[in-house]
Amino acid sequence: MAHIQVHRDDIDLDEPTLVEGLPGLGLVGKIAADHLVDVYDMEYYAACHCDGLPEIAVYAEGDPTVRPPVRIYADADEDLLVLQSDAPVSPSGATEFAGCLVSWFDANDVTPLFLSGMAAEQDGEPPAVYGISTGDGASMLTDADIEHPSQAGAITGPTGALIHEAQRTGLTGVGLVVEADRQFPDPAAARAVLQTAIGPLGDFQVDTEALVEQADQIAEAKQRLAEQLEASEDDSTSARPLGMYQ
Amino acid sequence: MAHIQVHRDDIDLDEPTLVEGLPGLGLVGKIAADHLVDVYDMEYYAACHCDGLPEIAVYAEGDPTVRPPVRIYADADEDLLVLQSDAPVSPSGATEFAGCLVSWFDANDVTPLFLSGMAAEQDGEPPAVYGISTGDGASMLTDADIEHPSQAGAITGPTGALIHEAQRTGLTGVGLVVEADRQFPDPAAARAVLQTAIGPLGDFQVDTEALVEQADQIAEAKQRLAEQLEASEDDSTSARPLGMYQ
Amino acid sequence: MAHIQVHRDDIDLDEPTLVEGLPGLGLVGKIAADHLVDVYDMEYYAACHCDGLPEIAVYAEGDPTVRPPVRIYADADEDLLVLQSDAPVSPSGATEFAGCLVSWFDANDVTPLFLSGMAAEQDGEPPAVYGISTGDGASMLTDADIEHPSQAGAITGPTGALIHEAQRTGLTGVGLVVEADRQFPDPAAARAVLQTAIGPLGDFQVDTEALVEQADQIAEAKQRLAEQLEASEDDSTSARPLGMYQ
Amino acid sequence: MAHIQVHRDDIDLDEPTLVEGLPGLGLVGKIAADHLVDVYDMEYYAACHCDGLPEIAVYAEGDPTVRPPVRIYADADEDLLVLQSDAPVSPSGATEFAGCLVSWFDANDVTPLFLSGMAAEQDGEPPAVYGISTGDGASMLTDADIEHPSQAGAITGPTGALIHEAQRTGLTGVGLVVEADRQFPDPAAARAVLQTAIGPLGDFQVDTEALVEQADQIAEAKQRLAEQLEASEDDSTSARPLGMYQ
Amino acid sequence: MAHIQVHRDDIDLDEPTLVEGLPGLGLVGKIAADHLVDVYDMEYYAACHCDGLPEIAVYAEGDPTVRPPVRIYADADEDLLVLQSDAPVSPSGATEFAGCLVSWFDANDVTPLFLSGMAAEQDGEPPAVYGISTGDGASMLTDADIEHPSQAGAITGPTGALIHEAQRTGLTGVGLVVEADRQFPDPAAARAVLQTAIGPLGDFQVDTEALVEQADQIAEAKQRLAEQLEASEDDSTSARPLGMYQ
């Protein structure tokens, strides 16, 4: 039953770019992905029903429609897809998820942009961003003027599994690594990767002013996040609010 | 062997509504479901023999008949089904259970009402209730005048898996989220969801006075529950009493 | 390979009654079953080679013959079978074991009497016994004048799985619940269930005087049991003595 | 791929006896088996490649040839086989191992002698030895004048699984239980079982003087064993010396 | 999908020797292997996509190309292959990995040299090196004048599984055991095994001066390693730098 279930065949896409937004270090990917969905008012395009994903029921404020926790949003004008997730992918399910998602990318001519934070000291400098590539992605990095890695590294977790699978199968894609806060959501890092890499790669310019303004909200969210992580250890049935930067 | 085993084919139902009563936060679902079985003197209609359910032998006071721990009760007059459970569904078995139950709903034209508590401070206000939907359930919420979610959220656990599966397969259903006590059985929350949502959705009016009167029994039950939870860690064979609000 | 291996086809049985003696609360079942094997000098009739049972080699004092840990004994005169176990059935293996054993009961017209202790305060009163039933077992309880449950309850563990499976498949059987000591072997409870329920159900009268007399031995056995439980955490090969009421 | 791989088809055996030497309580089996290999200068006859056995590379002093950790040695003159193991068999792999080995015994007319220590106080008396049997092994015990068990008991662990499997399939074999030190290697117990049971059963007389003389080495080995057990918790690659009585 | 994926069919090899460089005690294998890749400027030849290997995305400084964590490098002039790994192979995956890799060795006429450190006291003496063999490897040891084991031993972990599999299938190969530091990377041990064993076996002389000079870098790396090991317990997505001797 594992598959990507598209329910908006009416949205016309031509070799789209996909921005991957799984929760990870600094929540960089999730913040950037959620921001794109918000700014472009993107349409809920497809549900991810891959084995290994959490089976929970998610809903939005003011809208009774139940949605799965991992979804793809689309914008036909920008030929853009965004992978949005409301829950972490478990390490044990990462292999299944990577195979399920990357094979869909391949079958639908999707070029993925994978995102990962990298722990760094906060030194007042803007966070560094560099790019890595799978398939023929190296030329994309050159065309978008994105720097090569300044040191060797490894990307682990679900995003690491996705990039590994793209490499294994030869799918053209790009991974973007950005310095970020190790412990808390880092909208500044998300802004940096949107401005210096995702925009140039996807050939669009996205307004990121909101990310700056939301600094205060982030401070509040830090507190909320801590509480949610604590609560998530309970396996019995309950509904709980989804914060902006869960 | 996983299936729903109906042994009362003589009971005639026509596109029935089912109230799900799995144990969860505040035991809201279990209290509401057990109350319906009691008030309408519902018939034991079907046994749930889905993989992942606990294999224990359950019996009632004064009746020697052994029953499975998860059962469906029926009332032909109200075209009503209730899912009653005497034991928690383990998280690892939730996927199997959800597939088993939702496919039976689908094959038998059952419209499920899923119930979940949501932790809230006790502030003297009546507990808020709001509805979410799968398939074509949104219009049911509108017809019954049930509010939309006041904030985004996620339902986890076995009930979350059931709603997720209903959403995935497109089955029309409704989820009802009610503010409830995080730690103890909350008959007031169960009463609220029965009066403001289940009644209107099922097109019947149920007397909930008993729930108010049982407040004292609940206080006693709190103590009993704590003892039972402690005892449930023992895996060797033993019989133990089933309290009213286990 | 899972099956019941009968090696005494020469023993003639006609719709026999089987007394189940798995270790459980108060060791009620094991004490009662072992007592029957002893009093009627029953023959070793069949070996249980069901998946999930411990693979250990068991032997008796003065007899070099190795036997499996879970065995069935027979007495043709009383048309009686007893299930004797020298080791606990692990919770994870209970499902396999229940399916294996109950299908054999069904195929050989065996009517099982399942036994379970229920924790109770020692109040000087004789331990209460009540009966529950699967299939058409309710009339057996009535004929033998056995009380109905005085409160709702659930039987867990391997015996719970056996009764659950009998219920699921519709096999006629009886479960006997007796108040017993939660922590130590309780021959008084075993005696009560033999006198007030097993005897009447199986249509025989068994001398239980030995159980009274063995009270002193039990006191000693308490100490031995504590030592054995401690030793059983070691998985390497070793032989260890099997006490009377292990 | 699970099988016993014989690479010395040139060694001629006729219904041989096999002495099992898996590590267990007091290392009785391992000490006795290693002693036989040493005294009779036995040939490395077959490799055990059963599922569940540890996949490590073993080598001997002064000989570069890599060998598997569980091996069978042969001596044509005495029609004797010895099962030697340099590593413990994990409890989870014991079932697979028992099936693999016992079916080979059966196919090659091998009569196994299984060995197990039984914890006993050191009281100055020579350690007691008694025998148990599977298949038609009881007459072997009688012929060799080996005592019957002085109390009921159970043999657990890998050796228990082997005897259980021999019993289940009806293979003729013998189990020898000897009182031994619970915590340290016990060459005196190994000597007792060699002299009073293995020799008479296998129809040979083995010089066990070396076991007495090695008492001092054992004392040193106690210290080495403690260190090795500690080291064995590390799963990364490393070579480590194999002591005499590992 | 488990296989070795060669993407440089243009490199011509004739019965090549392979130096295995999995992380193990003292990182001896990894240091020696990485040194060979560096000195001979070896080409990235094949990716290891065996089941059980970690699915992470690895990249080098200044090069955006994503690579898998376990790779084979080649040098046609020396007929040399090197197995390089940037991440440990988990014990549970070692069996799958060993079968995958050794069958490829067999199919491609590869003669493997396996490397393992052995804990030893630092006594000022040059670290001892001795060799073990599988298949017809013993004559290779003689020709290269490599000593036999000075004591019995066992090689565990992934390298132990590889040697075990080579032994099981009869593949000709050599294992080299060298005394090394138990806790920290030991380039002196790597140098010793390169000079006294790998060079003579592979019929080449490799400059190892750099290993001496890097002593200072190692001291720094010790600190970095400790930090990385700590960080590796986190399963969420993140990029992290790969140190020289990770």
Side-chain angles (χ1 to χ4, degrees):
Chain A
M1 288 187 299
H3 66 288
I4 308 300
Q5 185 179 36
V6 175
H7 53 255
R8 289 294 301 271
D9 281 329
D10 59 305
I11 298 179
D12 216 38
L13 299 164
D14 179 28
E15 302 190 357
T17 297
L18 176 140
V19 176
E20 169 259 327
L22 295 177
L25 189 144
L27 290 182
V28 176
K30 177 154 182 56
I31 295 172
D34 289 0
H35 183 72
L36 289 171
V37 171
D38 195 40
V39 165
Y40 289 118
D41 198 14
M42 296 177 76
E43 299 287 333
Y44 171 28
Y45 177 71
C48 295
H49 291 304
C50 304
D51 287 345
L53 294 182
E55 301 190 341
I56 65 176
V58 171
Y59 52 88
E61 180 186 340
D63 180 356
T65 313
V66 171
R67 298 171 305 175
V70 182
R71 303 171 300 274
I72 295 174
Y73 287 78
D75 182 86
D77 293 342
E78 304 286 356
D79 244 332
L80 184 67
L81 295 172
V82 162
L83 178 74
Q84 194 178 64
S85 174
D86 289 324
V89 176
S90 72
S92 63
T95 301
E96 292 284 349
F97 176 55
C100 169
L101 199 61
V102 168
S103 65
W104 186 80
F105 290 168
D106 194 42
N108 292 274
D109 296 321
V110 175
T111 301
L113 311 185
F114 302 105
L115 305 186
S116 175
M118 178 178 59
E121 297 301 311
Q122 304 291 347
D123 55 6
E125 296 287 308
V129 176
Y130 55 71
I132 58 177
S133 62
T134 62
D136 301 322
S139 62
M140 293 171 59
L141 293 173
T142 305
D143 291 351
D145 206 21
I146 295 168
E147 289 185 20
H148 288 184
S150 58
Q151 57 183 329
I155 298 179
T156 57
T159 298
L162 285 169
I163 304 178
H164 178 274
E165 179 68 4
Q167 183 276 324
R168 195 182 69 79
T169 59
L171 178 77
T172 290
V174 157
L176 299 168
V177 179
V178 56
E179 292 181 346
D181 190 303
R182 184 197 289 269
Q183 290 197 293
F184 292 102
D186 191 340
R191 190 184 181 225
V193 79
L194 281 167
Q195 287 184 321
T196 67
I198 296 174
L201 283 164
D203 203 21
F204 56 77
Q205 231 174 335
V206 65
D207 179 5
T208 58
E209 204 53 36
L211 291 175
V212 180
E213 289 164 7
Q214 287 163 359
D216 286 356
Q217 288 171 291
I218 303 303
E220 289 174 53
K222 288 183 185 179
Q223 181 61 28
R224 221 157 43 224
L225 181 76
E227 290 164 17
Q228 286 167 7
L229 287 177
E230 202 165 290
S232 72
E233 292 169 9
D234 186 356
D235 276 321
S236 69
T237 294
S238 72
R240 63 169 194 264
L242 283 174
M244 195 167 194
Y245 299 106
Q246 185 185 50
Chain B
M1 288 188 298
H3 67 288
I4 308 299
Q5 186 179 38
V6 175
H7 52 256
R8 290 294 302 271
D9 280 330
D10 59 304
I11 298 180
D12 215 39
L13 299 165
D14 180 27
E15 304 191 356
T17 297
L18 176 140
V19 176
E20 171 258 327
L22 295 177
L25 191 145
L27 291 182
V28 175
K30 176 153 182 57
I31 296 172
D34 288 0
H35 183 72
L36 289 171
V37 171
D38 195 41
V39 165
Y40 289 119
D41 198 15
M42 296 176 75
E43 299 287 333
Y44 172 29
Y45 178 71
C48 295
H49 290 304
C50 304
D51 288 344
L53 294 182
E55 301 190 340
I56 65 177
V58 171
Y59 52 88
E61 180 186 342
D63 179 357
T65 313
V66 171
R67 298 170 304 174
V70 182
R71 303 172 300 275
I72 295 174
Y73 287 78
D75 182 84
D77 293 342
E78 303 286 355
D79 243 332
L80 183 68
L81 295 173
V82 162
L83 179 73
Q84 194 179 63
S85 174
D86 289 324
V89 176
S90 72
S92 63
T95 301
E96 292 284 349
F97 176 55
C100 169
L101 199 61
V102 168
S103 65
W104 186 80
F105 290 167
D106 194 41
N108 291 275
D109 297 320
V110 175
T111 301
L113 311 185
F114 303 104
L115 305 186
S116 175
M118 178 178 60
E121 297 302 311
Q122 305 291 349
D123 56 5
E125 296 287 308
V129 176
Y130 54 73
I132 57 178
S133 62
T134 62
D136 300 323
S139 63
M140 292 171 60
L141 294 172
T142 304
D143 292 350
D145 206 21
I146 295 168
E147 289 184 23
H148 288 186
S150 58
Q151 57 183 327
I155 298 178
T156 57
T159 299
L162 285 169
I163 305 177
H164 179 274
E165 180 67 3
Q167 182 276 323
R168 193 182 70 79
T169 60
L171 178 78
T172 291
V174 156
L176 298 168
V177 179
V178 56
E179 291 181 344
D181 189 303
R182 185 198 288 269
Q183 291 196 291
F184 292 103
D186 191 340
R191 188 183 183 227
V193 80
L194 280 168
Q195 288 184 320
T196 67
I198 296 174
L201 283 163
D203 203 20
F204 57 78
Q205 229 173 336
V206 64
D207 179 5
T208 58
E209 204 55 35
L211 292 175
V212 179
E213 291 164 6
Q214 287 163 356
D216 286 355
Q217 288 171 289
I218 303 304
E220 289 173 54
K222 286 184 185 180
Q223 181 60 27
R224 218 154 49 223
L225 181 75
E227 290 164 17
Q228 286 168 7
L229 286 177
E230 203 166 289
S232 72
E233 291 170 9
D234 186 357
D235 276 320
S236 68
T237 294
S238 72
R240 63 169 194 265
L242 282 176
M244 194 168 196
Y245 299 108
Q246 184 184 48
Chain C
M1 288 188 299
H3 66 288
I4 308 300
Q5 186 180 34
V6 175
H7 54 255
R8 290 293 302 271
D9 280 329
D10 59 306
I11 298 180
D12 216 39
L13 299 165
D14 179 29
E15 304 191 356
T17 297
L18 176 139
V19 176
E20 171 259 327
L22 295 177
L25 191 144
L27 290 182
V28 175
K30 177 154 181 56
I31 294 172
D34 290 0
H35 183 73
L36 289 172
V37 171
D38 194 41
V39 164
Y40 289 118
D41 197 14
M42 296 177 74
E43 299 287 333
Y44 172 27
Y45 177 71
C48 295
H49 291 303
C50 304
D51 288 344
L53 293 182
E55 301 190 341
I56 65 177
V58 171
Y59 51 89
E61 180 187 340
D63 179 356
T65 314
V66 171
R67 298 170 303 173
V70 182
R71 302 172 301 275
I72 295 174
Y73 287 77
D75 182 85
D77 292 342
E78 303 286 357
D79 244 333
L80 183 67
L81 295 172
V82 163
L83 179 74
Q84 194 179 62
S85 173
D86 289 323
V89 176
S90 72
S92 62
T95 301
E96 292 283 350
F97 176 56
C100 168
L101 200 60
V102 169
S103 65
W104 185 81
F105 290 167
D106 195 41
N108 291 274
D109 295 320
V110 175
T111 301
L113 311 185
F114 303 104
L115 305 186
S116 176
M118 178 178 59
E121 296 302 311
Q122 305 290 351
D123 55 5
E125 296 287 309
V129 175
Y130 55 73
I132 58 178
S133 62
T134 61
D136 299 324
S139 63
M140 293 171 61
L141 293 172
T142 304
D143 291 350
D145 206 21
I146 296 168
E147 289 185 21
H148 287 186
S150 58
Q151 57 182 326
I155 298 178
T156 57
T159 299
L162 285 169
I163 305 177
H164 179 274
E165 180 67 4
Q167 182 276 323
R168 194 182 70 78
T169 60
L171 178 78
T172 290
V174 157
L176 299 168
V177 179
V178 56
E179 292 181 344
D181 189 304
R182 184 197 290 270
Q183 290 195 291
F184 292 103
D186 191 340
R191 189 183 183 227
V193 80
L194 280 167
Q195 287 185 321
T196 67
I198 296 174
L201 284 164
D203 203 20
F204 56 78
Q205 228 173 336
V206 65
D207 179 5
T208 58
E209 204 54 38
L211 291 175
V212 180
E213 291 164 5
Q214 286 162 356
D216 286 355
Q217 288 171 290
I218 304 302
E220 289 173 54
K222 286 183 185 181
Q223 181 61 27
R224 218 156 50 224
L225 181 76
E227 289 164 18
Q228 286 168 8
L229 286 177
E230 203 166 289
S232 72
E233 290 169 11
D234 186 357
D235 277 319
S236 68
T237 294
S238 72
R240 63 168 195 265
L242 282 176
M244 194 166 195
Y245 298 108
Q246 184 185 45
Chain D
M1 287 186 298
H3 66 288
I4 308 298
Q5 186 180 35
V6 174
H7 53 256
R8 290 293 303 270
D9 280 329
D10 59 305
I11 298 180
D12 216 39
L13 299 163
D14 180 29
E15 303 190 357
T17 297
L18 177 139
V19 176
E20 170 259 326
L22 295 178
L25 190 144
L27 290 182
V28 175
K30 177 155 181 56
I31 295 173
D34 290 0
H35 183 71
L36 289 172
V37 171
D38 195 39
V39 164
Y40 289 119
D41 197 16
M42 296 176 75
E43 300 285 334
Y44 172 28
Y45 177 72
C48 295
H49 291 303
C50 303
D51 288 344
L53 294 182
E55 301 190 342
I56 64 177
V58 171
Y59 52 89
E61 180 186 340
D63 179 356
T65 313
V66 170
R67 299 172 303 175
V70 182
R71 301 172 300 276
I72 295 174
Y73 287 78
D75 182 85
D77 292 342
E78 304 285 357
D79 245 332
L80 183 68
L81 294 173
V82 163
L83 179 73
Q84 193 180 62
S85 174
D86 290 324
V89 176
S90 73
S92 63
T95 301
E96 293 283 350
F97 176 56
C100 169
L101 199 61
V102 168
S103 66
W104 186 81
F105 291 167
D106 194 41
N108 291 274
D109 296 320
V110 175
T111 300
L113 311 186
F114 303 105
L115 306 186
S116 176
M118 179 178 60
E121 296 303 310
Q122 304 291 350
D123 53 6
E125 296 288 309
V129 175
Y130 54 74
I132 57 177
S133 62
T134 62
D136 300 323
S139 62
M140 293 171 60
L141 294 172
T142 304
D143 292 350
D145 205 21
I146 296 168
E147 288 185 20
H148 287 186
S150 58
Q151 57 183 325
I155 298 179
T156 57
T159 298
L162 285 170
I163 304 178
H164 179 274
E165 180 68 3
Q167 182 277 322
R168 194 182 69 79
T169 61
L171 179 77
T172 290
V174 157
L176 299 167
V177 179
V178 56
E179 291 181 345
D181 190 303
R182 184 197 289 270
Q183 290 195 291
F184 293 103
D186 191 340
R191 189 182 182 227
V193 81
L194 280 168
Q195 287 184 322
T196 67
I198 295 174
L201 283 164
D203 203 20
F204 57 77
Q205 228 172 338
V206 65
D207 179 5
T208 58
E209 204 55 37
L211 292 175
V212 179
E213 291 164 6
Q214 286 161 358
D216 285 354
Q217 287 171 292
I218 304 302
E220 289 173 54
K222 287 182 184 180
Q223 180 61 26
R224 220 157 45 225
L225 181 76
E227 290 164 18
Q228 286 168 8
L229 286 177
E230 202 166 289
S232 72
E233 291 170 10
D234 186 357
D235 277 319
S236 69
T237 294
S238 72
R240 62 166 194 265
L242 282 176
M244 193 167 195
Y245 298 108
Q246 186 185 46
Chain E
M1 286 187 299
H3 66 288
I4 309 299
Q5 186 180 35
V6 174
H7 53 256
R8 290 293 302 270
D9 281 328
D10 58 305
I11 298 179
D12 216 38
L13 299 164
D14 180 29
E15 302 190 359
T17 297
L18 177 139
V19 176
E20 170 259 327
L22 295 178
L25 189 144
L27 289 182
V28 175
K30 178 155 181 55
I31 295 173
D34 289 0
H35 184 71
L36 288 172
V37 171
D38 195 39
V39 164
Y40 289 118
D41 197 17
M42 296 176 76
E43 299 287 334
Y44 172 29
Y45 177 71
C48 295
H49 290 304
C50 304
D51 287 344
L53 294 182
E55 301 189 341
I56 64 176
V58 171
Y59 52 88
E61 180 187 342
D63 180 356
T65 313
V66 171
R67 298 171 304 175
V70 182
R71 302 172 301 275
I72 296 174
Y73 286 79
D75 182 85
D77 293 343
E78 304 286 356
D79 245 332
L80 184 68
L81 295 172
V82 162
L83 178 74
Q84 194 179 64
S85 174
D86 290 325
V89 175
S90 72
S92 63
T95 300
E96 292 284 349
F97 176 56
C100 169
L101 199 61
V102 168
S103 65
W104 186 80
F105 290 168
D106 194 42
N108 292 274
D109 296 320
V110 175
T111 301
L113 311 186
F114 302 105
L115 306 186
S116 176
M118 179 177 59
E121 296 302 311
Q122 305 291 348
D123 54 6
E125 296 287 308
V129 175
Y130 55 73
I132 57 177
S133 62
T134 61
D136 300 322
S139 61
M140 293 171 60
L141 294 173
T142 305
D143 292 349
D145 206 21
I146 296 169
E147 289 184 19
H148 288 186
S150 57
Q151 58 182 326
I155 299 180
T156 56
T159 299
L162 285 170
I163 305 178
H164 179 273
E165 179 68 5
Q167 183 277 323
R168 194 182 69 80
T169 60
L171 179 77
T172 290
V174 157
L176 299 167
V177 179
V178 56
E179 292 181 345
D181 189 303
R182 184 196 288 270
Q183 290 196 292
F184 292 103
D186 191 339
R191 190 183 180 227
V193 80
L194 280 168
Q195 287 184 320
T196 67
I198 296 175
L201 284 164
D203 202 20
F204 57 77
Q205 228 174 337
V206 66
D207 179 5
T208 58
E209 204 54 36
L211 291 175
V212 180
E213 291 163 7
Q214 286 162 0
D216 286 355
Q217 287 171 292
I218 304 303
E220 289 173 52
K222 287 183 184 180
Q223 180 60 28
R224 224 161 37 229
L225 180 77
E227 291 165 16
Q228 286 167 7
L229 287 177
E230 202 166 287
S232 72
E233 292 169 9
D234 185 357
D235 276 320
S236 69
T237 294
S238 72
R240 63 167 194 266
L242 282 175
M244 194 167 195
Y245 299 107
Q246 185 186 46

